[in-house]
Amino acid sequence: MAKTAVTVLQDQIEAIRREAYAAGYAAAMRSIRDFTTKPPASAVQTRRPRQTAKAPEQATKRRGRPPSTALPTTAKRPRRGNNAQFIAEVLKAMPSGTARPADIRKALQSDKGVAIAFTSIRHALGQLASRHEVEVSSDGKTWRYVGTGAGG
């Protein structure tokens, strides 16, 4: 059976395609192998030569940022216990005095402009519960403000 010119051309194209695919696949696998066996460039540490004696002017030199770009020492960081205080205020302000953590989070974001993660909300609720300021409902989903239990 004689092959027509079109069939021969299709066979040649298919053979070239397979060879190109095999070559590309081999190159990709080589790149992956090289990538996984060599440490990344950022992980390679260069050793500095050790200095035995420093000149007096070098000993007093500060490392780090220049004074003009140094960060202020009084950075805005929330005080310890703020989350529990915010949550207690939100629960007090709720009409029924009860709320779910999602409602507490929404109220904190809208009223106080504070974004707190759900885990932090749950932790603060646990702290308030240990002080008997809040209690969990029977369904375990809502929390109710009961006031300061130990302090008054």
Side-chain angles (χ1 to χ4, degrees), residues 35-110:
F35 180 74
T36 57
T37 57
K38 294 179 185 175
S42 62
V44 176
Q45 296 178 355
T46 58
R47 294 189 63 129
R48 289 185 173 173
R50 218 171 168 180
Q51 295 179 354
T52 53
K54 290 185 177 181
E57 64 273 357
Q58 286 180 333
T60 59
K61 229 181 197 182
R62 276 187 50 194
R63 287 187 161 188
R65 296 177 185 214
S68 62
T69 61
L71 294 175
T73 56
T74 57
K76 278 274 193 172
R77 182 178 170 98
R79 286 184 341 167
R80 185 177 170 95
N82 273 0
N83 289 353
Q85 181 182 357
F86 288 153
I87 290 170
E89 290 172 5
V90 165
L91 282 173
K92 285 180 199 176
M94 290 289 179
S96 63
T98 63
R100 292 180 172 216
D103 300 329
I104 294 170
R105 186 169 193 249
K106 285 179 189 174
L108 285 170
Q109 287 176 339
S110 64

Side-chain angles (χ1 to χ4, degrees), residues 14-33:
E14 184 63 25
I16 292 169
R17 188 190 64 76
R18 274 193 229 118
E19 288 175 20
Y21 179 82
Y25 184 82
M29 289 297 111
R30 205 173 316 112
S31 294
I32 291 172
R33 193 177 322 107

Side-chain angles (χ1 to χ4, degrees), residues 72-150:
T73 56
T74 57
K76 278 274 193 172
R77 182 178 170 98
R79 286 184 341 167
R80 185 177 170 95
N82 273 0
N83 289 353
Q85 181 182 357
F86 288 153
I87 290 170
E89 290 172 5
V90 165
L91 282 173
K92 285 180 199 176
M94 290 289 179
S96 63
T98 63
R100 292 180 172 216
D103 300 329
I104 294 170
R105 186 169 193 249
K106 285 179 189 174
L108 285 170
Q109 287 176 339
S110 64
D111 299 344
K112 301 201 179 287
V114 176
I116 299 178
F118 282 109
T119 52
S120 299
I121 291 172
R122 180 60 183 89
H123 180 72
L125 286 169
Q127 290 175 332
L128 291 169
S130 69
R131 291 186 239 157
H132 304 290
E133 290 185 47
V134 299
E135 63 183 16
V136 66
S137 65
S138 59
D139 64 357
K141 295 180 181 177
T142 57
W143 292 82
R144 183 170 69 93
Y145 183 77
V146 294
T148 54

